[in-house]
Every structure is written in structure tokens, then in C-alpha cells.
């Protein structure tokens, strides 16, 4: 059985930097930099311009990852695309990305399979577990795993939506999960979910149990009320469960691998809220220098936070062969996951 390892990482964020103060001046939201920084650690986020979709953001991230892995698009055997903000209801963003990467072009034409993962903030880790198992099965050698989000289009950028709108940003991260005979790679993973809280962080733009699935006005045009159009979050409940589940997932992984915090070189926690991560880190006794973070610059990019961090860490020379890294995420569903990787 081959091992599965991350052979390349890449990321891409839009140019437009939206500071906390910009939320006030540009969008007229009743908030302050102090409130957002104190509660979340977020100072700015990026917003994609109109006309740029989720698969578009993913393309440069994947190209960087392919380059770092030293392979070309012709070597891609599978695409796994994790997002909660897909380009369209269907089909998934994976096939759009496949076409944009040229995998359907004459001469390349490998028509790699495309799978979309719908596990929100844990999407990247659900995708990593899937990619790892696929590579270990021997059926595919190189998988492009993407986490990408265009949140800005679906945020309620008004005072009414400030509790959610001030948290999220756009961005894309990608890794290549490859087969190797070397003694390295993704050692173990843990995934979990608690569907009792499915509604606690949700965006119910449509309801397929209703006839019609979107309310129609007198002209037969679909109309969605703001309560349904935009994401709803029970913030405090999410915060409490995030802390508990992240600690639980990490403890399970440590136990499985007979590890302690001291054995780990770097931790990559999902970037939902710096305070959540500091709380978890303190609880586990992690020193600050072992905790990578970038939430201050990008906000919460949901499925993209972990692959963006991995790509930035690699770019900064902080990820070296032989290091042991641990990653963990929690989010809507509720869903959570963790993984241990020998880099
Ligand atoms: O990746 C997905 C997972 N998501 C998370 O992990 C998020 C978890 N939750 C949180 O991080 C926190 O709940 C928040 C940072 C989102 C909110 O902090 P909180 O201390 O739980 O605030 P709250 O939602 O209970 O709201 C407290 C007050 C409210 O005002 P009133 O009703 O007390 O007058 C809100 O309207 O703060 C108000 N508020 C704001 N004020 C200024 C909410 N958002 C803002 C804002 N600026 N951006």
C-alpha cells in the first residue's frame, strides 16, 4: 500500500483588502475595528470582484501547488473540491475547475474524476481523508484537493448581518496528495459530525421539501427573504462546541498515534476565530510559536483556511521534510476533523 503525502501546496486570495474599518465606511455597517479584533482577532479579509467565481479563485492556487509538486496538469488523476460557496447549485465546482485547468483540452484530455465535498469549515479535512484513502488504495497517484470560497457575494453586508458578515472572507488553497513509497505522509485522520445542530450554522436559500422550493411572487419570479438568503449562526453555541470538539478530535488523534504535544512541530487550526484557537491551545498547553495563523489577514475562508495556511507556511520555509504537523477544524453541520501528517 503506498503512503499518501502532500507533494505541493498553493493559494490565491483576491487583491481587494477589506479592513474592519472598511466594513463601516464602505458598507455602512454599525461595527468597530475594536469589537471585531477583540472578539475574533480578524483585522481584514479579501473580497473577490464581481465576475470571479469559486472555481476561478481555485485555478491559480492549483497552478502554484502543481508547480511546487513538480508535476503538470496531465498528471492529475482526480479533483476534490471542498466549498460551501460553489459557483452554482449544480453541477459542483470541481468540473468547472477541471475545464479551467485544461484537463479537457486536446493533448491533456485525461478527464480526471471530480468530486465536490460539502462539509463547510471541515471540508478540507473531509477531502484530505478521502484523498488519502484513494491514494492508499493504489487507484490514483496525484489528487488535486482544493478548499475555496467566495463568501463576499452571499454576506449580508449591512448592520443586520454584522455578526456573520464581519467574520468571512474569500480565498482558495490547494494541495496535491500524491502516492509515495517513502516513509512519510498523512498518518491518520479523524472525522466527526453532530447533525443535531445542523441548523445552528446554515444558509437555507432554498427548501426542497417546499412546493415550489423557492417562494414565487405574483409574476412567478423566485424571491428569497433575507432570513433565508443569508447565513444564520448561533455564534455562542458554535463557539462552545468548536472548543469541545477540536480538543476532543486532537486528543483522539494523539492517543491513536501515541503522541504528545511536544512531538508536534506545527499546528494548523481552522481559522474561524483566534479566540477559539487560543482557548484550545491554552487547554492543550501549546506554545504560541507552534500555532500557525493568518485569520488577522484573511478572516474565515472556511474550507480554504487550512490549505492557505499550509501554502503560506511552505512559502515562508516553515515546513520542512521530517516535521510532524497536526491540523484540526470544526464548523457547520456540526462537522469536525483532524489529521496528523509527517511532512
Ligand atoms: O467557521 C465557522 C465556525 N464559526 C465560528 O466558530 C464562530 C463562533 N462564534 C463566535 O466566534 C462568536 O460567537 C462571535 C465572534 C461570532 C460573536 O461573539 P459573541 O460574543 O458571541 O457575540 P453575540 O453574537 O452574542 O452578540 C453580542 C452583541 C449583540 O448585540 P446585543 O444584542 O447584545 O445588543 C450583537 O448584535 O454584539 C453584537 N454584534 C456586533 N457588534 C458590533 C454582533 N456582531 C457585531 C459586530 N460589531 N460585528
Amino acid at each position: 500500500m503506498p503512503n499518501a503525502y502532500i507533494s505541493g501546496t498553493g493559494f490565491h486570495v483576491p487583491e481587494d483588502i477589506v479592513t474592519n474599518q472598511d466594513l463601516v465606511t464602505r458598507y455602512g455597517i454599525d461595527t468597530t475595528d475594536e469589537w471585531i479584533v477583540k472578539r475574533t482577532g480578524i483585522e481584514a479579509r479579501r473580497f473577490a470582484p464581481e465576475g470571479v467565481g469559486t472555481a476561478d479563485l481555485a485555478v491559480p492556487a492549483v497552478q502554484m501547488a502543481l508547480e511546487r509538486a513538480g508535476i503538470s496538469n496531465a498528471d492529475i488523476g482526480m479533483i476534490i473540491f471542498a466549498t460551501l460557496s460553489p459557483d452554482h447549485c449544480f453541477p459542483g465546482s470541481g468540473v468547472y475547475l477541471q475545464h479551467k485547468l485544461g484537463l479537457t483540452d486536446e493533448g491533456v484530455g485525461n478527464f480526471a474524476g471530480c468530486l465536490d465535498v460539502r462539509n463547510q469549515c471541515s471540508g478540507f479535512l473531509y477531502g484530505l481523508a478521502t484523498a488519502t484513502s484513494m491514494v492508499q488504495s493504489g487507484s490514483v497517484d496525484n489528487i488535486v484537493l482544493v478548499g475555496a470560497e467566495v463568501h463576499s457575494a452571499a454576506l449580508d453586508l449591512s448592520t443586520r448581518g454584522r455578526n456573520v458578515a464581519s467574520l468571512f472572507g474569500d480565498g482558495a488553497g490547494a494541495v496535491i496528495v500524491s502516492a509515495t513509497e517513502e516513509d512519510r505522509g498523512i498518518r491518520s485522520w479523524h472525522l466527526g459530525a453532530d447533525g443535531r445542530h445542523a441548523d445552528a450554522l446554515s444558509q437555507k436559500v432554498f427548501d426542497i421539501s417546499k412546493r415550489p422550493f423557492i417562494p414565487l411572487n405574483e409574476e412567478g419570479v423566485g424571491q428569497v427573504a433575507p432570513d433565508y438568503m443569508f447565513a444564520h449562526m448561533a455564534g455562542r453555541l458554535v463557539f462552545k462546541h468548536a472548543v469541545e470538539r477540536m480538543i476532543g478530535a486532537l486528543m483522539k488523534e494523539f492517543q491513536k498515534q501515541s503522541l504528545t504535544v511536544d512531538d508536534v512541530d506545527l499546528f494548523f487550526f481552522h481559522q474561524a476565530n483566534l479566540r477559539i484557537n487560543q482557548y484550545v491551545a491554552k487547554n492543550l498547553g501549546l506554545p504560541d510559536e507552534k500555532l500557525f495563523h493568518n485569520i488577522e489577514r484573511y478572516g474565515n475562508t472556511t474550507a480554504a483556511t487550512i490549505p492557505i495556511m499550509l501554502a503560506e507556511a511552505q512559502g515562508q520555509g516553515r515546513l520542512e521534510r521530517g516535521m510532524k504537523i497536526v491540523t484540526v477544524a470544526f464548523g457547520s453541520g456540526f462537522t469536525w476533523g483532524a489529521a496528523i501528517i509527517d511532512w
Side-chain angles (χ1 to χ4, degrees), residues 47-264:
F47 281 180
E50 184 162 357
V52 171
T54 315
D56 295 318
L57 273 195
V59 171
V62 174
Q63 284 165 341
M64 186 192 285
L66 289 172
E67 203 180 307
R68 286 183 177 178
I71 61 172
S72 76
N73 58 356
D75 300 312
I76 299 171
M78 178 85 200
I79 291 174
I80 301 181
F81 200 123
T83 183
L84 70 66
S85 51
D87 295 75
H88 302 293
C89 181
F90 75 83
S93 290
V95 289
Y96 289 103
L97 174 64
Q98 184 215 42
H99 188 49
K100 286 173 194 289
L101 286 172
L103 301 195
T104 50
D105 289 357
E106 219 168 301
V108 179
N110 63 8
F111 298 99
C114 297
L115 173 71
D116 278 53
V117 171
R118 299 203 41 180
N119 285 79
Q120 301 71 247
C121 300
S122 318
F124 178 78
L125 289 179
Y126 271 75
L128 188 68
T130 308
T132 299
S133 305
M134 284 178 161
V135 165
Q136 287 172 341
S137 78
S139 299
V140 56
D141 286 339
N142 295 296
I143 297 181
V144 165
L145 169 59
V146 174
E149 307 286 356
V150 176
H151 284 308
S152 54
L155 293 174
D156 182 0
L157 288 161
S158 71
T159 299
R160 181 185 53 201
R162 65 185 178 179
N163 69 322
V164 173
S166 50
L167 305 181
F168 292 93
D170 303 340
V175 301
I176 314 295
V177 180
S178 300
T180 181
E181 294 305 323
E182 292 174 26
D183 185 20
R184 66 187 296 193
I186 297 113
R187 297 301 192 189
S188 69
W189 48 263
H190 167 77
L191 301 176
D194 183 351
R196 288 175 300 179
H197 302 291
D199 289 344
L201 178 45
S202 57
Q203 186 182 11
K204 299 181 177 179
V205 175
F206 63 81
D207 183 342
I208 212 73
S209 72
K210 297 269 165 51
R211 307 288 182 272
F213 74 121
I214 289 175
L216 305 181
N217 69 10
E218 283 152 14
E219 283 87 44
V221 177
Q223 286 188 321
V224 183
D227 272 2
Y228 294 96
M229 182 151 162
F230 300 114
H232 158 84
M233 177 170 69
R236 293 199 174 185
L237 185 81
V238 177
F239 194 113
K240 176 176 166 284
H241 282 260
V243 168
E244 287 171 10
R245 293 303 185 183
M246 284 167 70
I247 293 173
L250 288 172
M251 297 309 288
K252 273 205 173 79
E253 282 302 278
F254 283 160
Q255 231 170 11
K256 231 189 323 184
Q257 294 289 309
S258 306
L259 294 175
T260 70
V261 163
D262 295 338
D263 299 315
V264 180

Side-chain angles (χ1 to χ4, degrees), residues 31 35 39 121 162-163 166 235-236 238 270 272-273 276 300:
T31 188
W35 193 98
R39 298 283 207 301
C121 300
R162 65 185 178 179
N163 69 322
S166 50
R236 293 199 174 185
V238 177
H270 168 55
N273 183 328
I276 293 179
N300 183 352

